[in-house]
Amino acid sequence: MQGLSIKLSQQQKLSPQQIQLIKLLQIPTAELAARVEEELEQNPALEEGVDSERFEEEGERETVEDLEREELEIGDYLQDDYAGYKMAGDSYDPNEEIRERPMATVPSAEEFLLMQIGFVVSGEREQLIAEQIIGSLEDDGYLRRNIESIVNDLAFTVGFETDYAEVEAVLMKVQQLDPAGIGARDLQECLSLQLHRHSVGEEGAHALAIQLIDTYFDDFSKRHYAALQQKLGVDEAALKQAIAVITRLNPKPGGTEAGEVAQFLQPDFIVTQVDGKLDIKLNGKNAPELRVSKSFQEMLQTYEKGNKQQKDIKEAVTFIKHKLDAASWFIQAIQQRQGTLMKTMESIVTKQYDFFLTGDDARLRPLKMKEIAADIAMDISTVSRVVSAKSVQSDFGMFPLKYFFSEGITHESGEDFSTREVKNILREIIAGEPHDAPYSDEDLEGILSERGFIVKRRTVAKYREQLGIAVARLRREL
């Protein structure tokens, strides 16, 4: 049976301006300039510079007649994507000072490999397969896509028919490229490729290292050193030399290519000590100077005086108003972003004041985002967006804002310690453990308990994993 019913419901929706502010809050300083430049290109009513009455001061105010004579047709703006807008940077001025520092152009890791394949493959078939293999490599240089999938990729994408044996044969040739170990399908193959490629220095140790990787990799990865000595018939000194050869190899050959350029870190905040007090500043690039175009405002006044019943005049007025509103909203969003960033950073510095004065991790107190949200009277989601991908430059180095947030653990004395400090204590305990008998997680739980920190074994295991420290049996050394 069908029927009609009326149902009332409330829905909360964000305005375009709120969405714009949210997106700007998430952008770090390094990306903000690009976002502002994008807005400047899209909106001719937005300009860089301080809003001032320079038109009156310089006597350059244009009359209505000047505007009408100006080679500026509003119809150009009404085309698709407003392509008629001419940017200030469209023309080249030979007298203009070049402020940008040139950067060296280097090939990417993939380009570096493609430059080499001509030396190892023969014919177009192998060239095409090699390019497909190189394109399938991951950032660390490993080939984790199986050969059957590469065969299918070639068949479906370029209509190239091949088989497992041919692709594998070309893969062997790709694995001859630099850096050594590239194109390996797992760690064992990666280390083996490097060992077989490298010239033999100490023949005994190098040959033993190859045997460890090729034949006894499982025992080696699990550090069953006593069993390895027995199987190989070598003493402890010989085994140590072979292990030293292996530890000099690169487990991630794709991560050290010439094409990799270190990312330039740009802090969002700068906190410095001035006369024993902390001074908080936004990075200058966090606060670009923007203004609404005076010429666009005057253009609106000119067109509003015209016959609004004419279609062209009506479209022009609508367009100009839209661009002026968008420019004003964007400027307000940038200003709100600056205010929200500063309020959040000031609250963080207040909570972690001792750390910013001393740089001592032990002075970091447990802190949650909801504390900052309550302090600045904003939603926790806003704080999360501010903290995301942001960093601060202090007198003791640069830190991501997330560095200052951690859960707390109560010492038996009643004092609260941040989990980061407990992790540092855990790292120190493990660093001082006997190499031949490393502490298990249960042992670490007991040692922390003796120091007054009541931490469960599973929590110890979680902290150890977060510190990138292996389990006890993998930490054992000869």
Side-chain angles (χ1 to χ4, degrees):
M1 182 177 178
Q2 294 182 343
L4 295 175
S5 63
I6 298 176
K7 183 180 179 181
L8 294 175
S9 63
Q10 288 185 335
Q11 290 184 336
Q12 186 176 10
K13 292 186 178 180
L14 296 175
S15 68
Q17 293 75 38
Q18 289 173 316
I19 294 172
Q20 188 177 61
L21 175 59
I22 288 171
K23 289 181 178 179
L24 286 173
L25 280 175
Q26 291 176 305
I27 297 176
T29 297
E31 299 176 18
L32 183 62
R35 176 66 185 89
V36 172
E37 185 65 29
E38 179 186 352
E39 192 70 21
L40 286 167
E41 290 179 2
Q42 292 177 355
N43 190 352
L46 186 68
E47 296 179 348
E48 280 190 277
V50 181
D51 192 9
S52 64
E53 297 299 322
R54 62 181 177 87
F55 292 92
E56 289 82 357
E57 293 173 1
E58 298 174 10
E60 296 180 356
R61 179 177 292 277
E62 297 174 3
T63 64
V64 172
E65 289 77 18
D66 292 330
L67 287 170
E68 289 173 349
R69 287 196 300 266
E70 191 176 1
E71 293 181 5
L72 182 64
E73 295 294 336
I74 196 66
D76 294 338
Y77 291 110
L78 301 177
Q79 303 299 319
D80 292 343
D81 298 326
Y82 313 119
Y85 180 63
K86 184 173 179 61
M87 297 299 296
D90 287 349
S91 59
Y92 169 71
D93 182 1
N95 298 319
E96 184 178 357
E97 181 183 355
I98 299 175
R99 298 179 181 276
E100 293 186 0
R101 184 178 62 183
M103 294 183 65
T105 301
V106 293
S108 66
E110 183 174 347
E111 290 171 340
F112 183 70
L113 293 171
L114 291 172
M115 288 163 56
Q116 303 176 60
I117 58 175
F119 297 103
V120 296
V121 300
S122 56
E124 293 183 4
R125 286 186 64 86
E126 288 193 355
Q127 175 91 12
L128 184 59
I129 295 172
E131 289 175 354
Q132 186 70 29
I133 291 171
I134 291 172
S136 301
L137 297 179
E138 298 190 8
D139 292 340
D140 56 6
Y142 284 81
L143 179 68
R144 295 188 175 88
R145 189 163 181 77
N146 58 54
I147 291 179
E148 291 90 345
S149 296
I150 294 176
V151 171
N152 292 333
D153 290 343
L154 287 165
F156 290 122
T157 58
V158 294
F160 182 87
E161 296 295 333
T162 183
D163 56 25
Y164 186 100
E166 186 177 19
V167 173
E168 187 176 39
V170 176
L171 174 60
M172 301 304 169
K173 294 186 176 183
V174 171
Q175 290 175 344
Q176 297 173 24
L177 304 179
D178 290 325
I182 202 76
R185 286 160 284 188
D186 53 40
L187 178 61
Q188 181 179 10
E189 186 175 29
C190 178
L191 299 177
S192 180
L193 287 169
Q194 294 178 63
L195 285 169
H196 285 283
R197 174 90 67 91
H198 289 176
S199 58
V200 179
E202 295 180 73
E203 291 193 10
H206 196 95
L208 187 58
I210 291 175
Q211 199 173 359
L212 278 172
I213 297 301
D214 289 352
T215 309
Y216 301 107
F217 183 76
D218 189 54
D219 285 332
F220 170 74
S221 62
K222 293 178 180 177
R223 305 198 180 195
H224 293 164
Y225 297 132
L228 285 171
Q229 284 181 242
Q230 185 177 2
K231 291 177 181 179
L232 294 167
V234 296
D235 58 18
E236 184 176 314
L239 187 59
K240 277 187 175 181
Q241 289 180 350
I243 292 172
V245 171
I246 295 171
T247 54
R248 288 196 292 268
L249 303 177
N250 184 5
K252 295 182 179 180
T256 55
E257 261 319 297
E260 274 199 6
V261 180
Q263 184 180 7
F264 177 70
L265 296 179
Q266 199 172 64
D268 299 86
F269 306 92
I270 300 171
V271 178
T272 54
Q273 291 190 52
V274 180
D275 298 329
K277 295 183 179 180
L278 296 176
D279 179 55
I280 307 169
K281 292 181 180 178
L282 268 174
N283 189 323
K285 294 187 177 181
N286 242 325
E289 295 290 353
L290 299 171
R291 67 184 176 213
V292 177
S293 169
K294 290 282 187 182
S295 60
F296 246 66
Q297 293 174 353
E298 294 175 352
M299 193 188 304
L300 176 62
Q301 296 173 3
T302 302
Y303 276 92
E304 282 184 333
K305 291 177 182 178
N307 186 358
K308 295 184 181 179
Q309 300 303 316
Q310 293 182 15
K311 184 179 178 181
D312 289 346
I313 297 295
K314 188 176 181 180
E315 287 183 357
V317 170
T318 302
F319 170 82
I320 296 172
K321 282 184 176 180
H322 172 72
K323 289 300 178 183
L324 288 172
D325 287 343
S328 178
W329 291 335
F330 188 77
I331 292 171
Q332 289 176 21
I334 290 289
Q335 291 171 346
Q336 288 183 49
R337 177 185 188 272
Q338 293 170 220
T340 303
L341 289 179
M342 277 300 292
K343 286 174 68 175
T344 305
M345 192 67 231
E346 286 169 355
S347 180
I348 292 172
V349 170
T350 300
K351 302 289 185 183
Q352 305 290 11
Y353 200 86
D354 290 342
F355 171 82
F356 282 100
L357 280 178
T358 64
D360 185 0
D361 279 357
R363 298 295 186 93
L364 282 171
R365 55 159 295 224
L367 182 63
K368 297 180 180 179
M369 288 188 189
K370 66 180 182 181
E371 292 182 52
I372 301 297
D375 187 40
I376 64 176
M378 290 187 176
D379 192 85
I380 189 171
S381 62
T382 302
V383 176
S384 177
R385 290 185 177 96
V386 171
V387 170
S388 176
K390 307 292 193 310
S391 59
V392 55
Q393 177 69 53
S394 73
D395 294 333
F396 310 99
M398 191 183 301
F399 301 91
L401 292 195
K402 288 186 177 179
Y403 183 81
F404 304 102
F405 296 89
S406 65
E407 299 290 332
I409 291 179
T410 303
H411 192 266
E412 63 180 14
S413 64
E415 186 178 358
D416 286 336
F417 287 83
S418 70
T419 54
R420 182 172 287 104
E421 186 172 354
V422 177
K423 288 178 186 178
N424 288 337
I425 294 171
L426 184 62
R427 184 190 283 111
E428 292 172 5
I429 293 172
I430 293 174
E433 69 185 359
H435 295 303
D436 58 344
Y439 299 133
S440 65
D441 291 339
E442 288 83 2
D443 295 333
L444 294 171
E445 178 188 2
I447 295 171
L448 286 172
S449 179
E450 291 173 2
R451 297 194 181 189
F453 297 98
I454 308 302
V455 184
K456 299 294 183 183
R457 186 200 60 78
R458 62 178 178 274
T459 305
V460 171
K462 181 179 76 172
Y463 291 170
R464 176 180 52 72
E465 290 171 0
Q466 290 173 349
L467 291 168
I469 299 174
V471 295
R473 64 182 176 80
L474 296 181
R475 299 200 306 273
R476 189 164 66 85
E477 299 176 7
L478 288 172

